[in-house]
Coordinates of all heavy atoms in Angstrom, one line a residue:
V17 N 0.6 3.4 2.1 CA 1.6 4.3 1.7 C 0.9 5.5 1.0 O 1.4 6.7 1.2 CB 2.6 3.7 0.7 CG1 3.4 4.7 -0.1 CG2 3.5 2.7 1.4
A18 N -0.1 5.3 0.3 CA -0.8 6.4 -0.4 C -1.7 7.2 0.5 O -2.4 8.1 0.1 CB -1.6 5.8 -1.6
G19 N -1.8 6.8 1.8 CA -2.6 7.6 2.8 C -4.0 7.1 3.0 O -4.8 7.8 3.6
L20 N -4.4 6.0 2.5 CA -5.7 5.5 2.7 C -5.8 4.9 4.1 O -4.9 4.6 4.8 CB -6.0 4.4 1.7 CG -6.7 4.8 0.4 CD1 -5.8 5.7 -0.4 CD2 -7.1 3.6 -0.4
S21 N -7.1 4.8 4.6 CA -7.3 4.1 5.8 C -7.1 2.6 5.6 O -7.1 2.1 4.5 CB -8.7 4.4 6.3 OG -9.7 3.7 5.4
A22 N -7.0 1.9 6.7 CA -6.8 0.4 6.6 C -8.0 -0.2 5.9 O -7.9 -1.1 5.1 CB -6.6 -0.2 8.0
E23 N -9.2 0.3 6.2 CA -10.4 -0.2 5.6 C -10.4 0.0 4.1 O -10.8 -0.9 3.3 CB -11.7 0.3 6.2 CG -13.0 -0.3 5.6 CD -14.2 0.2 6.4 OE1 -14.1 0.8 7.5 OE2 -15.3 0.0 5.8
Q24 N -10.1 1.2 3.6 CA -10.0 1.5 2.2 C -9.0 0.7 1.5 O -9.2 0.2 0.4 CB -9.7 3.0 2.0 CG -10.9 3.9 2.4 CD -10.4 5.4 2.4 OE1 -9.3 5.7 2.8 NE2 -11.3 6.3 1.9
A25 N -7.8 0.5 2.2 CA -6.7 -0.3 1.6 C -7.2 -1.8 1.5 O -6.9 -2.5 0.5 CB -5.5 -0.2 2.4
A26 N -7.9 -2.2 2.5 CA -8.4 -3.6 2.5 C -9.4 -3.8 1.4 O -9.5 -4.9 0.8 CB -9.0 -4.0 3.8
Q27 N -10.2 -2.8 1.1 CA -11.2 -2.9 0.0 C -10.5 -3.1 -1.3 O -10.9 -3.9 -2.2 CB -12.1 -1.6 -0.1 CG -13.1 -1.5 1.0 CD -13.8 -0.2 1.0 OE1 -13.4 0.8 0.4 NE2 -14.9 -0.1 1.7
T28 N -9.4 -2.4 -1.5 CA -8.6 -2.5 -2.8 C -8.0 -3.9 -2.8 O -8.0 -4.6 -3.9 CB -7.5 -1.4 -2.8 OG1 -8.1 -0.2 -2.8 CG2 -6.7 -1.6 -4.1
A29 N -7.4 -4.4 -1.7 CA -6.8 -5.7 -1.6 C -7.9 -6.8 -1.9 O -7.6 -7.8 -2.6 CB -6.2 -5.9 -0.3
N30 N -9.1 -6.6 -1.4 CA -10.1 -7.6 -1.7 C -10.5 -7.6 -3.2 O -10.7 -8.7 -3.7 CB -11.4 -7.2 -0.8 CG -12.4 -8.3 -0.8 OD1 -12.0 -9.5 -0.7 ND2 -13.7 -7.9 -0.8
L31 N -10.5 -6.5 -3.8 CA -10.8 -6.4 -5.2 C -9.6 -7.1 -6.0 O -9.8 -7.9 -6.9 CB -10.9 -5.0 -5.7 CG -10.9 -4.7 -7.2 CD1 -12.1 -5.4 -7.9 CD2 -10.9 -3.2 -7.5
G32 N -8.4 -6.8 -5.6 CA -7.2 -7.3 -6.3 C -7.1 -8.8 -6.2 O -6.8 -9.5 -7.1
A33 N -7.5 -9.4 -5.0 CA -7.5 -10.8 -4.8 C -8.4 -11.5 -5.8 O -8.1 -12.5 -6.4 CB -7.9 -11.2 -3.4
S34 N -9.6 -10.9 -6.0 CA -10.6 -11.5 -7.0 C -10.1 -11.5 -8.4 O -10.4 -12.4 -9.2 CB -11.9 -10.8 -6.9 OG -11.9 -9.5 -7.4
L35 N -9.2 -10.5 -8.7 CA -8.7 -10.4 -10.1 C -7.5 -11.3 -10.3 O -7.4 -12.0 -11.3 CB -8.3 -9.0 -10.4 CG -9.4 -7.9 -10.3 CD1 -8.8 -6.5 -10.5 CD2 -10.4 -8.1 -11.4
V36 N -6.7 -11.5 -9.3 CA -5.4 -12.2 -9.5 C -5.7 -13.7 -9.5 O -5.0 -14.5 -10.1 CB -4.4 -11.8 -8.5 CG1 -4.6 -12.5 -7.1 CG2 -3.0 -12.1 -9.0
V37 N -6.7 -14.2 -8.7 CA -7.0 -15.6 -8.7 C -7.6 -16.1 -10.0 O -7.7 -17.3 -10.2 CB -7.9 -16.0 -7.5 CG1 -7.2 -15.7 -6.2 CG2 -9.3 -15.4 -7.6
A38 N -8.0 -15.2 -10.9 CA -8.5 -15.6 -12.2 C -7.4 -15.8 -13.2 O -7.7 -16.2 -14.3 CB -9.5 -14.5 -12.7
K39 N -6.2 -15.5 -12.8 CA -5.0 -15.7 -13.6 C -4.4 -17.0 -13.4 O -4.5 -17.6 -12.3 CB -4.0 -14.6 -13.4 CG -4.5 -13.2 -13.8 CD -3.4 -12.2 -13.7 CE -3.8 -10.8 -14.2 NZ -2.6 -9.9 -14.3
S40 N -3.6 -17.5 -14.3 CA -2.8 -18.7 -14.2 C -1.4 -18.4 -13.6 O -0.8 -17.4 -14.0 CB -2.6 -19.4 -15.5 OG -1.8 -20.5 -15.4
G41 N -1.0 -19.1 -12.6 CA 0.3 -19.0 -12.0 C 0.4 -17.9 -11.0 O -0.5 -17.2 -10.7
T42 N 1.7 -17.7 -10.6 CA 2.0 -16.6 -9.6 C 2.0 -15.3 -10.4 O 2.9 -15.0 -11.1 CB 3.4 -16.9 -9.0 OG1 3.4 -18.2 -8.4 CG2 3.6 -15.9 -7.9
A43 N 0.9 -14.5 -10.2 CA 0.7 -13.4 -11.1 C 0.7 -12.1 -10.2 O 0.7 -12.1 -9.0 CB -0.6 -13.6 -11.8
C44 N 0.7 -11.0 -11.0 CA 0.5 -9.7 -10.3 C -0.5 -8.9 -11.2 O -0.9 -9.3 -12.3 CB 1.8 -8.9 -10.1 SG 2.6 -8.4 -11.6
L45 N -0.8 -7.7 -10.7 CA -1.8 -6.9 -11.4 C -1.2 -5.6 -11.9 O -0.2 -5.1 -11.3 CB -3.0 -6.5 -10.5 CG -3.8 -7.7 -9.9 CD1 -4.8 -7.2 -8.9 CD2 -4.5 -8.4 -11.0
C46 N -1.7 -5.0 -12.9 CA -1.3 -3.7 -13.3 C -2.4 -2.7 -13.0 O -3.6 -3.1 -12.7 CB -0.9 -3.6 -14.8 SG -2.3 -3.8 -15.9
I47 N -2.1 -1.4 -13.1 CA -3.1 -0.4 -12.8 C -4.4 -0.5 -13.6 O -5.5 -0.4 -13.1 CB -2.5 1.0 -12.9 CG1 -1.4 1.2 -11.9 CG2 -3.5 2.1 -12.9 CD1 -0.5 2.4 -12.1
G48 N -4.2 -0.8 -14.9 CA -5.4 -0.9 -15.8 C -6.3 -2.0 -15.4 O -7.6 -1.9 -15.7
E49 N -5.8 -3.1 -14.8 CA -6.7 -4.2 -14.5 C -7.6 -3.8 -13.3 O -8.8 -4.1 -13.2 CB -5.9 -5.4 -14.2 CG -5.3 -6.0 -15.4 CD -4.3 -7.1 -15.0 OE1 -3.3 -6.9 -14.3 OE2 -4.5 -8.3 -15.5
L50 N -7.0 -3.0 -12.3 CA -7.8 -2.6 -11.2 C -8.8 -1.5 -11.6 O -10.0 -1.6 -11.2 CB -6.8 -2.0 -10.1 CG -6.0 -3.0 -9.3 CD1 -4.8 -2.3 -8.6 CD2 -6.8 -3.7 -8.3
L51 N -8.4 -0.6 -12.4 CA -9.3 0.5 -12.8 C -10.4 0.0 -13.7 O -11.5 0.6 -13.8 CB -8.5 1.7 -13.4 CG -7.6 2.4 -12.5 CD1 -6.9 3.6 -13.3 CD2 -8.3 2.9 -11.3
A52 N -10.2 -1.1 -14.4 CA -11.2 -1.6 -15.3 C -12.4 -2.1 -14.5 O -13.5 -2.3 -15.1 CB -10.7 -2.8 -16.1
S53 N -12.3 -2.3 -13.2 CA -13.4 -2.8 -12.4 C -14.3 -1.7 -11.9 O -15.4 -2.0 -11.3 CB -12.8 -3.6 -11.1 OG -12.1 -2.6 -10.3

């Protein structure tokens, strides 16, 4: 939606997956958690 290529979007998704599996339960991420990486 933000205009990234599929590869760039996949890179973000790959990062997000590593962050969310470190949480307990069905979780989501906020912007600050992504940018902290």
Side-chain angles (χ1 to χ4, degrees):
V17 165
L20 269 63
S21 68
E23 183 175 344
Q24 290 171 321
Q27 289 175 341
T28 303
N30 193 37
L31 169 63
S34 71
L35 298 174
V36 81
V37 297
K39 296 187 175 191
S40 175
T42 307
C44 68
L45 299 174
C46 72
I47 291 169
E49 291 171 299
L50 286 165
L51 293 183
S53 67

